[in-house]
């Protein structure tokens, strides 16, 4: 169970002209098959993620159970849209396989086991979904640490029919507001403010100090989402995760530099033995040494999992002081 109480999250007021978004706590028995059916035709959704794609529903549910449900630092939400005619691609713009990815959340209410409020039961897409909500993807938090007042946005997947409409950025902004704002119970000592998102009284904002966002260093779209939501780049963490052979990652064949003819000749590595590397007068200077391709590949193959790709991760963060005094709150309010 997650460290903190959770409930559905929605904007207090909406500035964005698109469809209203609600983040509904993920319930595997109600949402699992729906999300799997919506996402399974598109294995490329998982290109830059360390998990998936999943061969069968039971594989997705097993991942959810072990990666999310059993980890107190993790929680998953379903992204639900209302009035989807504003955000979904027109049916004639999609082929039949793409359109299978669109599903709706009926207004028929089911008991929400997280906080006692009502949640929505999801069913297959209706061609005329007026008055219903639509499943647009999933998002969550991981590495949540109450002792250090920090968390991380993750598990973000937006279904293809909704890509390019600002939904991912709005969702990240909503989670930032829930994580970094302070509850009404303490606003008297912190100054009055209008809430950006609302949840149930039993699941108030978390008042964390740090919210981070990690993206595959090659995933420019994901990095752009975080930056639009106010996250600042803190650096690149290299060789941080071993990936499955099918995943996009750092491999010997894409670490090379080429000669004038385009033939692969060498790899470029930071040179710590260069005297200029030890100088503090120009900290931005990074001397490099060229390594023969065969020597580099052979050395890598001698290491653990030498035949598998690795992930470089872009680390971004939005912290409480940037939220309070650096315009973070105002930026997100305008965004969502």
């Amino acid at each position: 169970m997650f460290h903190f109480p959770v409930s559905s999250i929605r904007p207090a007021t909406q500035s964005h002209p698109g469809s209203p978004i609600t983040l509904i706590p993920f319930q595997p028995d109600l949402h699992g098959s729906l999300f799997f059916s919506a996402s399974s035709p598109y294995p490329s959704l998982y290109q830059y993620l360390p998990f998936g794609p999943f061969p069968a529903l039971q594989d997705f549910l097993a991942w959810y159970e072990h990666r999310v449900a059993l980890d107190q630092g993790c929680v998953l939400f379903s992204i639900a849209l209302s009035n989807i005619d504003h955000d979904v691609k027109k049916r004639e713009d999609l082929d039949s396989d793409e359109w299978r990815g669109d599903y709706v959340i009926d207004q028929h209410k089911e008991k929400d086991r997280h906080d006692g409020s009502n949640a929505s039961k999801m069913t297959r897409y209706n061609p005329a979904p007026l008055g219903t909500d639509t499943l647009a993807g999933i998002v969550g938090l991981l590495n949540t640490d109450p002792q250090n007042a920090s968390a991380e946005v993750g598990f973000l997947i937006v279904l293809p029919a909704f890509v390019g409409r600002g939904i991912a950025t709005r969702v990240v902004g909503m989670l930032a507001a829930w994580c970094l704002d302070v509850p009404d119970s303490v606003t008297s000592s912190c100054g009055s403010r209008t809430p950006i998102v609302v949840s149930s009284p039993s699941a108030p904002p978390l008042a964390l100090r740090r919210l981070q966002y990690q993206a595959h260093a090659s995933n420019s779209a994901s990095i752009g989402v975080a930056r639009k939501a106010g996250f600042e780049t803190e650096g690149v963490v290299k060789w941080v995760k071993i990936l499955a052979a099918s995943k996009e990652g750092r491999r010997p064949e894409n670490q090379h530099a080429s000669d004038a003819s385009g033939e692969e000749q060498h790899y470029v590595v930071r040179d710590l033995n260069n005297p200029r590397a030890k100088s503090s007068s120009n900290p931005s200077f990074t001397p490099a040494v060229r390594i023969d391709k065969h020597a580099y590949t052979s050395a890598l193959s001698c290491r653990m999992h030498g035949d598998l790709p690795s992930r470089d991760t872009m680390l971004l963060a939005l912290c409480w002081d940037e939220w309070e005094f650096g315009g973070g709150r105002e930026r997100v309010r305008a965004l969502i």
Side-chain angles (χ1 to χ4, degrees):
M1 183 176 293
F2 190 53
H3 283 299
F4 301 98
V6 296
S7 71
S8 295
I9 302 169
R10 66 182 188 279
T13 58
Q14 181 166 322
S15 302
H16 195 279
S19 300
I21 296 176
T22 303
L23 302 182
I24 300 173
F26 188 86
Q27 298 182 35
D29 54 341
L30 297 179
H31 306 172
S33 61
L34 180 62
F35 176 75
F36 176 77
S37 297
S39 60
S40 59
Y42 313 104
S44 61
L45 289 171
Y46 299 92
Q47 177 182 5
Y48 293 114
L49 297 175
F51 58 90
F54 302 99
L57 172 61
Q58 57 265 33
D59 299 298
F60 170 68
L61 294 178
W63 169 84
Y64 171 80
E65 179 68 19
H66 290 95
R67 180 64 185 90
V68 180
L70 295 179
D71 187 338
Q72 284 187 296
C74 293
V75 65
L76 193 66
F77 295 91
S78 293
I79 303 170
L81 300 187
S82 302
N83 303 323
I84 65 164
D85 54 307
H86 294 293
D87 280 303
V88 72
K89 294 178 181 177
K90 293 181 180 179
R91 182 164 188 163
E92 56 266 29
D93 294 336
L94 302 172
D95 61 32
S96 58
D97 287 338
E98 285 184 299
W99 196 249
R100 289 186 309 181
D102 299 332
Y103 292 73
V104 299
I105 305 170
D106 288 345
Q107 295 301 313
H108 175 68
K109 301 300 182 180
E110 296 286 338
K111 192 72 171 176
D112 186 334
R113 294 167 302 183
H114 289 276
D115 67 343
S117 65
N118 288 327
S120 299
K121 182 180 179 180
M122 297 183 174
T123 57
R124 190 170 288 271
Y125 177 76
N126 183 331
L130 298 177
T132 64
D133 292 341
T134 302
L135 176 67
I138 57 174
V139 70
L141 297 174
L142 64 155
N143 297 326
T144 305
D145 183 354
Q147 183 174 352
N148 291 305
S150 64
E152 178 180 330
V153 178
F155 310 130
L156 177 57
I157 297 177
V158 176
L159 296 174
F162 304 96
V163 171
R165 284 154 170 74
I167 292 170
T169 307
R170 293 168 62 195
V171 164
V172 171
M174 290 172 64
L175 281 181
W178 187 58
C179 288
L180 296 174
D181 248 347
V182 297
D184 291 340
S185 59
V186 299
T187 53
S188 57
S189 59
C190 298
S192 61
R193 65 200 69 192
T194 303
I196 297 177
V197 295
V198 293
S199 53
S200 75
S202 63
L206 304 185
L208 301 180
R209 296 189 179 190
R210 174 183 171 86
L211 184 63
Q212 70 179 32
Y213 185 109
Q214 297 193 63
H216 194 298
S218 299
N219 192 352
S220 57
S222 180
I223 295 168
V225 163
R227 287 173 174 164
K228 288 177 184 177
F231 287 72
E232 180 183 17
T233 301
E234 295 189 337
V236 176
V237 186
K238 298 187 296 183
W239 300 98
V240 69
K241 189 181 292 290
I242 301 292
L243 302 173
S246 60
K247 292 291 187 178
E248 182 80 18
R250 220 176 158 181
R251 308 171 187 265
E253 60 266 26
N254 59 24
Q255 298 300 310
H256 70 274
S258 302
D259 65 7
S261 66
E263 183 180 354
E264 300 174 7
Q265 297 293 322
H266 60 264
Y267 297 92
V268 178
V269 178
R270 189 163 55 107
D271 183 7
L272 299 180
N273 290 322
N274 189 309
R276 296 179 65 187
K278 303 174 183 179
S279 172
S280 60
S281 60
N282 186 11
S284 63
F285 174 73
T286 305
V289 59
R290 293 185 174 191
I291 307 299
D292 175 75
K293 174 184 175 182
H294 177 74
Y296 187 97
T297 304
S298 297
L300 178 59
S301 67
C302 294
R303 298 186 174 275
M304 291 180 62
H305 312 298
D307 58 337
L308 294 176
S310 287
R311 167 171 159 159
D312 287 357
T313 291
M314 183 74 75
L315 177 63
L316 306 97
L318 179 58
C319 298
W320 77 272
D321 47 356
E322 299 158 342
W323 180 259
E324 288 285 348
F325 305 112
R329 178 185 286 111
E330 292 74 17
R331 186 187 187 104
V332 167
R333 187 187 301 279
L335 191 68
I336 65 175

